[in-house]
Amino acid sequence: MSSIEPSDARAVPVVPPTRPARVAPGETLRSVALPGATLTVRSRPAARPGLPPALFVHGLGGSSQNWSQLMEALADDVDGEALDLPGFGYAPPPDDGDYSITAYARVVIRHLDASGRGPVHLFGNSMGGAVVTRVAAVRPDLVRTLTLVSPALPELRPQRSAVPTGLMAVPGLVSLFARMTRDWTPERRTREVLALCYGDPARVTPEGFALAVAEYERRLQLPYFWEVMGRSARGIVDAYTLGGQHSLWRQAERVLAPTLLVYGARDQLVSIRMARRASKAFRDSRLLTLLEAGHVAMMEDPDAVARAFRELLADTATTSERSAPPRG
């Protein structure tokens, strides 16, 4: 797996999405062409001019929609954009078929370089947490603060409930699962996902469940859906095996940006036990533990995550003012 190199900044061409897209009120969606990949960028207009930029990166099987509630909650604080990584949401697969954490990090860096929005307040969930950790480690100039929601950092002893997701990385198992579940309805598939990702799936409203079902049904019709899931899961496992300077834990130690860590006590995919190790690894970190949340706290309790981020934002601004050279 290659290291990440700074990319040449380019103009960002904006073209309409290739398929009808679902957007929440107040959101817009656009496609961004980068060298070797196309992203879909979901944005919400800032409440007022001059707000600092923020970028949100989803996890395995997710999309930019995972951040809609948090972006709305933070509309008075940041100018937010959320990505569909290549192969997810409304974005097509990458040209080179590389679904590694390093490749995704490279795409995020290229987007930030090309858009000129950096440094940003950078957010990541699950796989996206691993991606943005790598971005913050190798390009500190692009990151103001880092917020990680259940980041997929290596665990020596993963929870038993996380093992089936890890097995998706085994060649052939995703195709086997697709065949074994071909008679499952989108409703059943959605319930299985919500039961795995939410601390309490009952918190999902009927409207939210219907939207999730429609989105799952749309994705199942994509010819590359299962391949992207399997190869991206393999990319996570491969990242876990890297040692030396490319180790995700080693890179976490290199992160300079003030970091907010968010863990759910009911998370079935990333153990709450990892919160303590992460707090030690990220040199300037604070921890928010949500007792009722699972793997996607920004969807389960966006208000709590927003409050914690605002505290980070305020403290960071205060620290910057104290460290600024005197005027006059």
Side-chain angles (χ1 to χ4, degrees):
M1 195 176 299
S2 59
S3 59
I4 304 172
E5 74 284 348
S7 60
D8 294 331
R10 299 189 177 192
V12 183
V14 178
V15 296
T18 56
R19 294 178 293 277
R22 186 183 303 277
V23 293
E27 290 183 347
T28 59
L29 207 65
R30 72 183 191 276
S31 292
V32 174
L34 298 170
T38 299
L39 304 175
T40 306
V41 180
R42 184 179 303 265
S43 58
R44 173 176 289 276
R48 60 186 183 278
L51 291 179
L55 186 68
F56 302 80
V57 182
H58 64 79
L60 179 67
S63 75
S64 58
Q65 292 184 52
N66 296 161
W67 298 102
S68 289
Q69 292 170 277
L70 185 59
M71 282 204 299
E72 183 177 7
L74 292 176
D76 289 330
D77 306 285
V78 298
D79 181 4
E81 290 187 346
L83 301 182
D84 283 341
L85 293 172
F88 291 97
Y90 291 93
D95 293 351
D96 60 2
D98 189 346
Y99 297 92
S100 66
I101 297 298
T102 295
Y104 284 135
R106 187 181 294 117
V107 166
V108 172
I109 288 171
R110 285 175 176 165
H111 173 64
L112 288 173
D113 278 340
S115 67
R117 281 171 53 86
V120 298
H121 296 288
L122 191 57
F123 293 71
N125 169 235
S126 191
M127 179 186 76
V131 170
V132 299
T133 294
R134 187 149 287 176
V135 172
V138 302
R139 289 294 304 275
D141 58 303
L142 294 177
V143 183
R144 299 186 186 208
T145 66
L146 187 64
T147 298
L148 304 176
V149 181
S150 296
L153 300 174
E155 296 184 51
L156 292 177
R157 296 190 193 87
Q159 298 179 98
R160 186 173 299 177
S161 54
V163 171
T165 302
L167 289 175
M168 291 172 54
V170 178
L173 280 192
V174 167
S175 297
L176 176 61
F177 178 77
R179 291 194 298 271
M180 291 175 61
T181 62
R182 60 179 176 271
D183 295 329
W184 286 16
T185 64
E187 289 79 7
R188 178 177 177 181
R189 294 182 189 276
T190 302
R191 289 192 188 95
E192 295 283 345
V193 171
L194 295 179
L196 182 63
C197 292
Y198 274 67
D200 180 8
R203 297 177 71 176
V204 181
T205 65
E207 179 186 9
F209 180 76
L211 291 174
V213 169
E215 175 62 11
Y216 210 140
E217 191 169 26
R218 181 192 71 83
R219 292 190 192 187
L220 285 170
Q221 296 172 1
L222 299 174
Y224 51 81
F225 173 79
W226 291 111
E227 179 185 8
V228 170
M229 289 293 290
R231 296 183 69 177
S232 296
R234 204 171 309 152
I236 297 173
V237 172
D238 288 345
Y240 283 13
T241 65
L242 291 177
Q245 64 177 339
H246 299 298
S247 161
L248 282 170
W249 284 116
R250 181 72 64 83
Q251 293 195 324
E253 295 170 352
R254 293 171 52 192
V255 171
L256 301 177
T259 301
L260 170 63
L261 301 167
V262 182
Y263 284 83
R266 295 186 176 184
D267 196 331
Q268 300 181 64
L269 294 170
V270 172
S271 172
I272 187 65
R273 298 190 310 265
M274 304 307 294
R276 177 177 296 182
R277 181 173 182 183
S279 295
K280 293 180 179 178
F282 291 91
R283 66 181 72 188
D284 183 5
S285 68
R286 60 186 66 195
L287 174 64
L288 171 65
T289 301
L290 297 175
L291 299 180
E292 303 300 319
H295 192 60
V296 286
M298 72 286 186
M299 301 172 70
E300 300 173 79
D301 198 345
D303 291 337
V305 178
R307 284 194 299 271
F309 173 74
R310 288 191 197 101
E311 292 175 3
L312 174 67
L313 197 61
D315 291 348
T316 302
T318 301
T319 301
S320 298
E321 290 175 2
R322 288 175 180 172
S323 60
R327 297 181 180 179

